[in-house]
Amino acid sequence: MKYIITLFFFFFGCINSFACDCDIPKAILEFYSSKEVFTGRIIKKTFDKDSSNYTITFEVLKSYKNENIPNELSFTFRYKKKGAQNSCYWEAFVNEEWVVYASERNGKLVFEKNCSNSASLKWTNNVVPNEKMLENGNKFKIDDFIYQFESDFNLPNPISNIDSIFKTGKLKDYGNQHALLGLYIDKNGKLISLFTGIDLVNSEGEFKYDSIYGLQRELQIKQKRPYTEFEIDAIDLAMSVKDWEIKRHNSTKIPVSHIRYLKIEFDNKEMKWKYEL
């Protein structure tokens, strides 16, 4: 079901949302991109003279990423004055315990609660979320997995001349047809295999996800029904788009395998193949 929802919004538009609404990244990918990941207790909170910002200081209780982490770490945040309206505002308080995914920005450590796996443990019954993953985070190899819509990666485009390829498509009376195709592309940018959106949904129960990191290790999508004449010709066109840009992690530039989606349709009135990436 999650794939149906994801694909629907990806190709057919998104609902309106507040500015602070966003997808929280996979915990292991935020761990991988973070400078420090730790649990800590807030032992001090101070305010600027004009109360525009406040600074909290954590006593580090446990570090998951770096053995040489300082015993104390401080972070500064904007402070919302009384009466100010901001639905995205959050605030941290003395004696709270947190799990923090901190990144480096302009030479300083920073973290956010919105759009992050960082969280106050008072909202998680004092249990550290994803603790098994955190304990094994330093063993993670980013290129062992297959990615789709995860953040922190570039969005590869075809190197093959896709416009020229689609001009060579067969012209038949298909009716007005469309299909959503998934392209499995390896870490060298080579198209390996292809599947329909329907086969993807019907194969979901057979996917193999890593039990610790929650990422897909293998692609096992099976054809669940005979393809229509339109689907067969659409697949032939898509399989001709063999060469793609390499998908890389934004900061480390490590290449990874991924799935790229391609919407294909045939306009029966214009007798023309069309596509949308």
Side-chain angles (χ1 to χ4, degrees), residues 15-265:
I15 58 174
N16 292 327
S17 60
F18 294 107
C20 55
D21 287 347
C22 53
D23 291 330
I24 296 176
K26 289 278 189 181
I28 185 56
L29 294 178
E30 188 169 11
F31 179 99
Y32 184 77
S33 298
S34 295
K35 180 77 172 177
E36 304 283 3
V37 181
F38 65 93
T39 52
R41 180 185 297 110
I42 299 174
I43 57 174
K44 184 167 62 173
K45 181 176 181 179
T46 59
F47 293 84
D48 290 353
K49 287 184 178 180
D50 63 357
S51 297
S52 59
N53 298 300
Y54 70 91
T55 298
I56 54 174
T57 299
F58 283 100
E59 174 193 7
V60 175
L61 302 177
K62 183 173 183 178
S63 173
Y64 293 97
K65 188 155 188 178
N66 182 6
E67 293 181 356
N68 298 317
I69 192 171
N71 292 328
E72 295 183 2
L73 288 171
S74 295
F75 300 86
T76 298
F77 301 97
R78 181 180 52 79
Y79 180 63
K80 186 186 79 171
K81 296 179 181 179
K82 264 188 178 180
Q85 297 297 316
N86 187 340
S87 61
C88 301
Y89 180 77
W90 61 274
E91 190 173 341
F93 300 93
V94 171
N95 291 326
E96 285 183 345
E97 291 188 10
W98 282 67
V99 57
V100 174
Y101 293 71
S103 57
E104 194 170 44
R105 188 184 304 156
N106 298 324
K108 289 185 176 181
L109 279 181
V110 297
F111 81 90
E112 264 292 339
K113 175 180 174 292
N114 298 330
C115 311
S116 170
N117 290 281
S118 297
S120 170
L121 300 188
K122 72 178 181 180
W123 302 114
T124 61
N125 295 320
N126 292 317
V127 174
V128 178
N130 306 302
E131 188 162 27
K132 187 175 182 182
M133 178 282 294
L134 292 171
E135 296 283 2
N136 290 274
N138 289 317
K139 300 176 184 177
F140 174 68
K141 294 183 178 179
I142 196 167
D143 54 345
D144 282 350
F145 300 91
I146 302 167
Y147 299 90
Q148 295 191 54
F149 304 113
E150 293 84 359
S151 58
D152 287 339
F153 295 91
N154 64 310
L155 184 63
N157 289 309
I159 295 174
S160 302
N161 192 327
I162 190 169
D163 290 330
S164 295
I165 289 170
F166 271 74
K167 287 178 182 178
T168 67
K170 297 175 182 178
L171 303 180
K172 301 178 183 178
D173 186 9
Y174 299 105
N176 290 320
Q177 299 279 351
H178 67 270
L180 179 63
L181 302 179
L183 285 63
Y184 175 43
I185 301 166
D186 71 11
K187 60 186 69 175
N188 297 310
K190 298 296 182 183
L191 177 61
I192 301 302
S193 61
L194 182 151
F195 52 87
T196 68
I198 294 174
D199 288 339
L200 172 68
V201 172
N202 290 336
S203 299
E204 185 174 357
E206 301 167 27
F207 291 168
K208 290 192 176 180
Y209 286 89
D210 187 276
S211 61
I212 295 175
Y213 305 123
L215 294 173
Q216 192 172 356
R217 277 196 176 274
E218 297 179 20
L219 185 68
Q220 293 186 334
I221 296 179
K222 300 174 183 178
Q223 183 177 342
K224 299 291 185 176
R225 57 172 177 75
Y227 291 147
T228 64
E229 182 181 20
F230 165 77
E231 287 174 324
I232 291 170
D233 291 344
I235 287 170
D236 284 342
L237 283 174
M239 286 299 295
S240 297
V241 189
K242 297 180 183 296
D243 298 311
W244 291 73
E245 294 172 349
I246 294 174
K247 190 177 186 76
R248 298 179 186 274
H249 185 255
N250 287 339
S251 59
T252 64
K253 305 305 179 186
I254 293 176
V256 297
S257 300
H258 72 286
I259 297 170
R260 188 80 158 90
Y261 290 95
L262 182 64
K263 180 185 174 185
I264 298 179
E265 61 180 302

